[in-house]
Amino acid sequence: MVGRPEDRQYYIDFSPVRDSNIIHQLERTITLSEDEPNCQLFTGHIGSGKSTELLRLKTDLEQKDFYVVYFESNKALDIGDVDISDILLAIALHVTKSLEEAQLHPYLGGFADLFAELAKKIPSLDLGFEAELSVIIGKITAKTKDSPELRKSLRQYLEPRTNNLLDAMNRELLEPTQKRLKQQGKKGLVVIIDNLDRIDNRPTASGRSQTEYLFIDRGDQLQQLKCHLVYTVPLSLIFSNNFGQLTNRFGIQPLLLPMVPVKSRKGDENKEGIALLQQMVLARAFPGLNSLQRIEQATEVFDSLETLKRLCCISGGHVRNLLVLLYSCLQQIDPPISRNCLEAVIKRYRGDLELSVSDEQWQLLRHISQEKMISEEPEYQALLRSLFVFEYRDKRDDRWFDINPALVESEGFKDE
């Protein structure tokens, strides 16, 4: 959403209640250093609205005459098994495809020798003699994504030559592209790599997790590309004892998108946050109306404003959870959605969550509910990954945590 002008009417700006205009910070970092490529990291809960915000960033940068390439890495990579060469090839593929579509055809140049040798080493890739760079890279990424054996062979060839690949990408693709874009009045190239936060956190052969290996051990190589870069990174890296290493590696602190608050740290209702979530729901039904008109029409979608408010509050400000609950209601009845229907959907959602919570985790959840904080221990990281715990920011930009509201209402949480 918000990638196209017609979609802007559905967009709700939550930055006033999130108390952090993350997209403005990302954009400002790029615009202030347009001649010096920079690399930024962006994170948050899966489903918190990062993709929507990144598409807004793309639109805003394009309006300021940057050339922006955005892609979802999970569509190009096997998220359960990723290495640096996979990410670099995915970037090369999407940049070249975008340039070719814009009639800015990049030349094979230094890639030719690399791929010619690769074709000899791995004949099953069947690269042929394609003229378009995107076709060659597309063949490689498509075939290796679906074949662990081919992926292994490709890595055995490319990993020792990662610096060669980086050099080819910079010298033959990115630097000439930057020059051509400047000649056309553009301010530079920005590449936004979304959904890398979905990378599996499995251990690698070295004992490090896959996320630690990619963003800490190999982070230097991820930022060597000669263009502006925005990578999404797993939330677990932010709340681990590797945070300092991550910051030192990239020379910048990752920016985190918090939840939309539905209550304060003290437990008081956050009326502004709830109101914006209500607008997000109603904008989908009445995109052409203003905020007051939408509220006036709300009873066409819900039997009462209280039912809509209940939906927003039980979501905990997690955008995807809210929409999933809404769509579950619509699968059962036509609007207006009744309170009984919503409560039945919430009951099933709560039951599914409860089945996943262990006795030890209930104890941790009670502690978090009281203290509003977590530690870097793996047990707490698991609660974040499972969406049992959400992060919020207050007016002073202080972070605090609370448990998923659906779990607060469960018997397991109430039992001592």
Side-chain angles (χ1 to χ4, degrees), residues 67-71 87-106 111 132-134 137 169-170 172-178 180-181 189-193 225-229:
Y67 188 94
V68 185
V69 176
Y70 164 95
F71 70 93
I87 297 174
L88 295 178
L89 282 177
I91 293 172
L93 171 63
H94 286 85
V95 170
T96 53
K97 281 183 68 175
S98 177
L99 292 174
E100 288 165 4
E101 289 169 2
Q103 301 300 310
L104 295 170
H105 296 272
F111 285 100
E132 297 285 4
L133 183 56
S134 66
I137 302 176
M169 288 179 66
N170 284 328
E172 307 292 343
L173 176 61
L174 300 178
E175 290 175 347
T177 294
Q178 296 275 32
R180 294 174 72 185
L181 290 174
L189 173 65
V190 181
V191 181
I192 301 173
I193 304 97
L225 297 175
K226 301 298 184 182
C227 63
H228 298 294
L229 296 159

Side-chain angles (χ1 to χ4, degrees), residues 117-128:
E117 185 64 24
L118 179 60
K120 293 178 184 177
K121 296 287 185 182
I122 315 175
S124 54
L125 283 175
D126 187 27
L127 297 182

Side-chain angles (χ1 to χ4, degrees), residues 15 18-23 25-26 40-46 48-50 53 231-240 243 253-260 374 381 384 390-393 397-401:
S15 62
R18 279 173 163 156
D19 292 305
S20 53
N21 194 335
I22 302 297
I23 298 309
Q25 294 178 57
L26 290 169
Q40 299 186 79
L41 306 178
F42 182 50
T43 191
H45 285 288
I46 291 176
S48 60
K50 295 188 301 302
E53 295 301 320
Y231 293 106
T232 49
V233 298
L235 190 63
S236 59
L237 285 175
I238 310 303
F239 300 109
S240 74
F243 178 73
Q253 284 199 348
L255 296 176
L256 185 145
L257 187 70
M259 292 294 134
V260 178
I374 66 169
Q381 309 310 311
L384 286 167
F390 299 148
E391 176 177 356
Y392 302 92
R393 297 289 173 96
D397 200 33
D398 291 334
R399 62 173 45 165
W400 59 281
F401 300 83

Side-chain angles (χ1 to χ4, degrees), residues 214-333:
L214 289 172
F215 295 104
I216 297 175
D217 297 347
R218 305 292 295 277
D220 283 341
Q221 292 175 318
L222 282 179
Q223 57 184 317
Q224 286 180 25
L225 297 175
K226 301 298 184 182
C227 63
H228 298 294
L229 296 159
V230 178
Y231 293 106
T232 49
V233 298
L235 190 63
S236 59
L237 285 175
I238 310 303
F239 300 109
S240 74
N241 54 15
N242 291 302
F243 178 73
Q245 289 179 280
L246 181 71
T247 302
N248 289 334
R249 186 72 71 199
F250 285 88
I252 192 169
Q253 284 199 348
L255 296 176
L256 185 145
L257 187 70
M259 292 294 134
V260 178
V262 293
K263 63 180 181 179
S264 72
R265 188 171 190 158
K266 294 180 180 179
D268 301 322
E269 186 178 279
N270 190 309
K271 294 181 180 179
E272 189 178 1
I274 293 171
L276 287 175
L277 288 170
Q278 290 176 323
Q279 288 297 321
M280 184 192 74
V281 173
L282 296 174
R284 283 159 168 74
F286 312 110
L289 302 184
N290 63 38
S291 58
L292 290 177
Q293 291 170 331
R294 289 170 186 158
I295 291 295
E296 291 172 356
Q297 299 296 318
T299 50
E300 292 187 20
V301 184
F302 297 89
D303 62 3
S304 70
L305 275 173
E306 281 302 308
T307 299
L308 172 57
K309 180 179 176 181
R310 168 68 167 155
L311 170 65
C312 295
C313 289
I314 201 67
S315 74
H318 187 284
V319 173
R320 186 178 298 170
N321 276 0
L322 190 157
L323 294 177
V324 168
L325 292 171
L326 173 63
Y327 295 150
S328 295
C329 291
L330 292 173
Q331 285 179 314
Q332 298 188 42
I333 62 173

Side-chain angles (χ1 to χ4, degrees), residues 189-225:
L189 173 65
V190 181
V191 181
I192 301 173
I193 304 97
D194 198 2
N195 294 339
L196 278 177
D197 56 317
R198 301 184 185 185
I199 286 176
D200 192 354
N201 205 33
R202 65 174 179 80
T204 62
S206 67
R208 300 270 271 179
S209 70
Q210 186 173 216
T211 55
E212 292 168 340
Y213 165 73
L214 289 172
F215 295 104
I216 297 175
D217 297 347
R218 305 292 295 277
D220 283 341
Q221 292 175 318
L222 282 179
Q223 57 184 317
Q224 286 180 25
L225 297 175

